[in-house]
Amino acid sequence: MINQLYTFTVGTYVVADEWNSNFKALANSNADCVQAIADAEVSVAFPDEDLDSVFSAVRNKQNSWGITGDTVDVSAGQEYYGAKNWLVIGSFSLQPSELSKVCFVFAGASTMDRIMQKRNIVMFIAYSVLMNDAQNAWEKAKNENNFDTFAPYLEKIVEFNRKFAGYYDANKAPYDALLNEYEEGMAMETLDVFFAQLRSAIVPLIAKIKSVPQIEDGFLFKHYPVEIQRKFSDYLMEVLGIDRAHCTIGETEHPYTTNFNKNDVRITTHYYKDDLTNSMYSVIHESGHATYELNCGDEYQYTCLSGGVSMGIHESQSRFFENIIGRSEAFCELIFPKVCELFPEQMQGKTAHDFYLAVNKSEPSLIRIQADELTYALHIMVRYEIEKALIKGEIKVSDLPRVWAEKMKEYLGVDVPDDARGCLQDSHWGSGSIGYFPTYALGSAYGAQFLRKMKESVDVDGCIAKGDFAPINS
């Protein structure tokens, strides 16, 4: 059955190459095929969830999708041959604990598409298993502050990605080929200039900021009960106009957004009881991703054109929400009454302007997702330079903690005390996403350009102040 799915999926993507020129006709003729792949992907990705309760709102929507009935019949938790928790999809069955890691990436991941086009099913299975194991190893290594336990997995990931680069485009430098997978047309030649410009402007500015009196932000790091922060997250999503019937929020070690179509989008966050803004801005950031997905055109669902134009554009939406909207004075004034309602003791004696100043304080820090708007790009530059050197073979995986610490000291002036707050802080490399990081900085640059153009016809601050985001999102 795996071979049948393998051929079936490859055939679909071969056809999909022609969709740009004759999209509607091919979409109609291949709708059942694409729908079946998407349904299988959803089923295998979340085998242990209560599918009826999770997807009921989505299934009831007109023209929405379903994972039972006319598409694929699904049942979970069956017992066969003495083994439990088998998943049955249509006419075949599998045990998710062993094979979900293989099937999870069958329809969605670009990496898998290219491997399948090469007909290398052995590499496909090996890489799928590695991704599952590497994510577990990364989380364990981060929690235990021990890079050495994750290093063997990362060495294999780097080696796989070097091979993939040749599959993507043998005429490109390997890291250029990987960059192109996340931002088409992007290359080291462009990014080297881009980051050099940022470095020349930002590093001296950071030094200048350090020399003046600092903004008081200690009240943001008092005790903030997690259960109340959850209510705050719900409020933020409501204010930003997120359709909760089609977008849920969960909790993970590292925040992210995932979706299976425009009617089923999921974001996550991570709460810290002594830090209000960490989760606050991760929720706003992921809500930007969610807004993009929730508003994609219906005609692109279940096709090769779904999922956003590029990761740089996707990150432009999340960074736009997080910084341009979320750190604006208009937004701080809008939400401050609710902040005071939920956290009256922590906000005692503070004003909306105090809150605005505090959330915009610029100070070099260790953690990327906690970085302020000014220093954030330097965090990305550190990762870009390390990825480039890894793929070129200029440094070894075992060098990573040392090189990371050196670059953080050089660019941000901070000392890295341990691996957990150093090279283990992000989940990306553990999921094989080498070449992804630059899209965050590109997204910030795109967002700034969007804002400049938007202001020609939209009163952006006025809309934010009223909590009316429709003109901004349209």
Side-chain angles (χ1 to χ4, degrees):
M1 188 62 204
I2 286 182
N3 287 332
Q4 293 173 15
L5 273 176
Y6 168 64
T7 304
F8 175 61
T9 307
V10 171
T12 302
Y13 279 100
V14 169
V15 171
D17 287 339
E18 305 174 28
W19 284 17
N20 284 328
S21 60
N22 195 10
F23 174 73
K24 289 187 177 180
L26 283 167
N28 290 334
S29 64
N30 290 279
D32 292 340
C33 178
V34 176
Q35 181 77 60
I37 293 175
D39 287 345
E41 181 185 27
V42 173
S43 303
V44 181
F46 289 91
D48 296 324
E49 291 204 38
D50 181 350
L51 300 176
D52 285 330
S53 64
V54 171
F55 300 130
S56 58
V58 180
R59 258 202 238 103
N60 291 334
K61 189 177 186 299
Q62 185 177 5
N63 296 326
S64 67
W65 56 277
I67 55 174
T68 60
D70 295 335
T71 52
V72 180
D73 292 324
V74 175
S75 64
Q78 303 295 323
E79 180 172 343
Y80 296 110
Y81 316 113
K84 297 181 179 180
N85 297 320
W86 281 74
L87 177 69
V88 180
I89 305 175
S91 61
F92 77 98
S93 60
L94 56 86
Q95 191 174 22
S97 62
E98 296 301 323
L99 293 179
S100 65
K101 61 194 75 170
V102 177
C103 299
F104 176 82
V105 289
F106 238 110
S110 155
T111 296
M112 297 301 104
D113 302 342
R114 303 307 176 90
I115 295 175
M116 287 188 291
Q117 287 172 10
K118 290 288 183 179
R119 298 300 195 272
N120 194 333
I121 192 65
V122 175
M123 184 176 286
F124 169 80
I125 294 174
Y127 190 66
S128 300
V129 172
L130 175 61
M131 289 302 91
N132 184 79
D133 293 343
Q135 271 293 295
N136 294 334
W138 164 77
E139 185 167 349
K140 185 173 185 291
K142 180 183 178 183
N143 290 333
E144 296 177 354
N145 186 30
N146 187 352
F147 177 76
D148 290 343
T149 61
F150 175 60
Y153 297 92
L154 185 54
E155 287 172 352
K156 294 177 183 177
I157 289 170
V158 170
E159 185 58 34
F160 265 112
N161 273 270
R162 288 185 184 129
K163 293 178 181 177
F164 298 159
Y167 293 167
Y168 299 155
D169 191 336
N171 296 318
K172 282 185 166 70
Y175 191 51
D176 280 345
L178 297 175
L179 291 169
N180 189 70
E181 287 300 292
Y182 297 100
E183 193 69 6
E184 188 172 357
M186 192 51 59
M188 291 179 283
E189 182 179 6
T190 301
L191 288 174
D192 286 346
V193 174
F194 174 64
F195 283 116
Q197 290 177 333
L198 291 177
R199 180 171 55 246
S200 64
I202 294 175
V203 172
L205 185 55
I206 291 174
K208 185 179 294 186
I209 291 172
K210 283 183 176 180
S211 67
V212 300
Q214 300 299 294
I215 293 169
E216 197 284 307
D217 65 343
F219 65 96
L220 298 177
F221 302 97
K222 294 183 177 181
H223 178 66
Y224 288 89
V226 169
E227 61 271 18
I228 303 180
Q229 287 195 60
R230 292 190 182 106
K231 294 179 182 179
F232 187 41
S233 295
D234 289 334
Y235 166 76
L236 289 170
M237 293 176 72
E238 177 185 350
V239 167
L240 293 169
I242 302 297
D243 182 356
R244 296 303 300 277
H246 302 296
C247 182
T248 62
I249 182 170
E251 298 172 35
T252 52
E253 178 64 30
H254 191 94
Y256 67 89
T257 298
T258 189
N259 70 290
F260 297 105
N261 56 63
K262 66 176 292 182
N263 297 315
D264 180 13
V265 181
R266 309 171 189 204
I267 72 172
T268 72
T269 189
H270 189 109
Y271 297 105
Y272 295 89
K273 62 184 179 181
D274 57 354
D275 185 346
L276 174 63
T277 56
N278 191 303
S279 177
M280 170 184 166
Y281 281 105
S282 78
V283 169
I284 297 173
H285 178 99
E286 302 305 337
S287 291
H289 283 304
T291 297
Y292 189 19
E293 292 294 344
L294 289 164
N295 289 282
C296 283
D298 291 334
E299 66 271 26
Y300 301 126
Q301 295 302 297
Y302 308 110
T303 76
C304 61
L305 301 181
S306 65
V309 174
S310 72
M311 285 315 305
I313 294 299
H314 227 304
E315 292 300 341
S316 76
Q317 305 305 289
S318 57
R319 299 287 291 165
F320 190 99
F321 266 61
E322 177 187 354
N323 293 315
I324 294 174
I325 292 177
R327 297 186 193 273
S328 68
E329 189 156 16
F331 188 76
C332 290
E333 290 176 349
L334 174 68
I335 68 170
F336 191 68
K338 188 67 173 183
V339 175
C340 292
E341 176 188 326
L342 293 174
F343 308 105
E345 294 181 8
Q346 295 89 333
M347 294 296 143
Q348 187 174 6
K350 300 301 178 182
T351 66
H353 188 67
D354 294 331
F355 187 74
Y356 162 70
L357 291 176
V359 300
N360 281 283
K361 181 178 180 179
S362 180
E363 182 178 39
S365 60
L366 290 166
I367 308 300
R368 174 184 64 85
I369 62 173
Q370 297 174 8
D372 60 83
E373 192 172 3
L374 177 64
T375 61
Y376 184 89
L378 299 184
H379 287 264
I380 301 304
M381 187 169 64
V382 167
R383 290 152 176 80
Y384 165 68
E385 293 183 357
I386 288 175
E387 285 187 344
K388 183 169 63 171
L390 276 174
I391 296 301
K392 285 184 174 182
E394 294 173 350
I395 62 172
K396 300 177 181 178
V397 167
S398 58
D399 298 326
L400 242 175
R402 174 184 57 79
V403 175
W404 184 288
E406 290 172 353
K407 290 184 178 295
M408 289 294 289
K409 184 68 173 179
E410 178 183 358
Y411 298 145
L412 288 153
V414 297
D415 295 311
V416 179
D418 51 50
D419 294 340
R421 286 173 287 183
C423 59
L424 286 175
Q425 65 182 262
D426 297 304
S427 63
H428 300 61
W429 291 337
S431 63
S433 299
I434 296 178
Y436 187 119
F437 278 118
T439 66
Y440 287 112
L442 292 170
S444 295
Y446 297 161
Q449 295 174 72
F450 294 155
L451 176 66
R452 182 173 182 176
K453 183 65 178 178
M454 190 182 299
K455 283 187 172 182
E456 295 177 4
S457 57
V458 177
D459 179 5
V460 176
D461 288 332
C463 289
I464 295 173
K466 293 184 294 184
D468 179 12
F469 295 97
I472 295 174
N473 292 332
S474 61

